[in-house]
Amino acid sequence: MRLPLGSTDVSASGGTVTLVGRRGEEWEALCARRIPLDEAVGLLVDQHEGAHAGDEFADAVPADSADAPRFTAGEPILWRYGRYIETARVIRDDARGLVVWIPSGSARLESVPADGRATREVPLEERFSVPWEIRESTWRGPGVVRVAPSGRPWSVWFFRAVDGTPEGAYVNLELPHLRSATGAPGIFSRDLILDLWIEAEHPGEEDVWLKDSDELAAAVAQGRFTAAQADAVRAIADHAAAEFLMPGGWPLDEGWAHWTPDAAMDEPIALPESAAVAEARGRTGGARLNG
């Protein structure tokens, strides 16, 4: 028996999730008013301010512009979310979007509470105000395919079990990618806290869960986002649902859940020895408001 809409649970990463929809049914809007996608993104671009280490961001241009550098298949790149920096290897990069593979064990930098707690161990009412530091870690669990449609404020991550069985697709809401021709190859974005999870079961009628709505509310209460910006994030989720999630459009329809890397593609990736990465490693702060 399937759970009713509105059911809540805790995700594998410890976040609160709510069952908000099913493919094949009408989507109930998360935002109380309809906000055009460009307007919603425009309300959030200030999230880039002061977020990225190094000088490369100053020259960054939209990933879908004619001036943006392109990546080649097999090339290792950095996927930068401000203080969070991940490594990935390019599968494909074309006008439609960027597709990468993140091998298990690949290096990453993450912002963590300076007192040794895990982020999820910090109560919501303190989560965006505690001192932080940077820690180097690795991608845990099986590798994932990650797809970033050109010019859209989201990426889609295809998770799988150890045996390769698809587990579901994670829609990470994030600012549209920027790229720089200087420094280590990669993209710049900003995570927008709210996410959607599409279960793998019941093809065509998959359950859709909303993740971290309580954390978004806490971000507003602690000054990370304004109320208008939080509405913009919810509106972006609604656009993602309408554009590809509910109709099962690209990249859900291209078979990425079953894509398999060869041995060379699946080699864990190290962080490059660059000035920007060295600067990023040494960052600390008194609050997580610009996380």
Side-chain angles (χ1 to χ4, degrees):
M1 183 174 179
R2 302 183 69 173
L3 293 171
L5 297 185
S7 298
T8 60
D9 203 348
V10 177
S11 72
S13 63
T16 301
V17 292
T18 304
L19 183 58
V20 294
R22 274 192 187 100
R23 290 198 54 229
E25 299 180 5
E26 185 174 353
W27 177 259
E28 185 173 343
L30 301 174
C31 186
R33 67 185 183 92
R34 178 172 174 77
I35 304 175
L37 187 59
D38 287 350
E39 179 182 335
V41 171
L43 288 168
L44 292 157
V45 293
D46 68 352
Q47 294 295 305
H48 278 302
E49 295 177 8
H52 305 284
D55 299 325
E56 294 97 329
F57 180 72
D59 300 322
V61 297
D64 58 349
S65 71
D67 297 331
R70 296 295 153 202
F71 308 130
T72 59
E75 182 177 12
I77 67 167
L78 297 178
W79 195 295
R80 303 173 179 93
Y81 287 123
R83 295 199 300 264
Y84 294 81
I85 301 178
E86 299 178 308
T87 53
R89 187 169 282 121
V90 176
I91 300 172
R92 189 178 78 196
D93 184 27
D94 58 22
R96 201 174 197 187
L98 173 64
V99 185
V100 303
W101 172 250
I102 301 181
S104 180
S106 292
R108 62 199 301 262
L109 297 180
E110 57 182 343
S111 172
V112 298
D115 60 9
R117 288 180 291 178
T119 298
R120 294 288 182 187
E121 293 174 342
V122 180
L124 274 174
E125 59 269 19
E126 304 173 24
R127 194 163 294 171
F128 295 95
S129 57
V130 297
W132 57 272
E133 62 186 13
I134 297 299
R135 180 179 66 191
E136 185 165 345
S137 63
T138 59
W139 181 266
R140 295 176 291 274
V144 298
V145 172
R146 189 180 291 185
V147 182
S150 293
R152 311 320 270 175
W154 52 74
S155 62
V156 185
W157 310 4
F158 294 88
F159 282 85
R160 61 190 68 193
V162 174
D163 66 0
T165 303
E167 292 187 332
Y170 186 87
V171 182
N172 194 72
L173 304 185
E174 59 192 72
L175 288 179
H177 288 183
L178 303 173
R179 301 184 184 187
S180 173
T182 60
I187 63 90
F188 297 89
S189 185
R190 295 289 282 131
D191 184 75
L192 300 177
I193 299 178
L194 208 62
D195 308 296
L196 297 166
W197 171 254
I198 312 163
E199 291 194 344
E201 297 179 344
H202 310 290
E205 299 179 347
E206 298 96 325
D207 286 345
V208 181
W209 296 79
L210 177 69
K211 182 174 178 288
D212 290 337
S213 60
D214 54 346
E215 189 168 353
L216 181 62
V220 173
Q222 294 167 61
R224 163 75 186 274
F225 287 140
T226 66
Q229 287 176 318
D231 275 345
V233 175
R234 297 183 188 100
I236 288 172
D238 288 334
H239 283 283
E243 186 170 312
F244 77 93
L245 193 158
M246 299 305 276
W250 193 80
L252 298 179
D253 60 356
E254 201 179 357
W256 292 115
H258 300 278
W259 183 87
T260 302
D262 61 23
M265 184 69 76
D266 203 32
E267 280 291 318
I269 309 165
L271 286 161
E273 294 300 325
S274 69
V277 170
E279 180 183 334
R281 278 193 175 103
R283 299 175 83 188
T284 60
R288 297 172 62 82
L289 295 182
N290 295 320

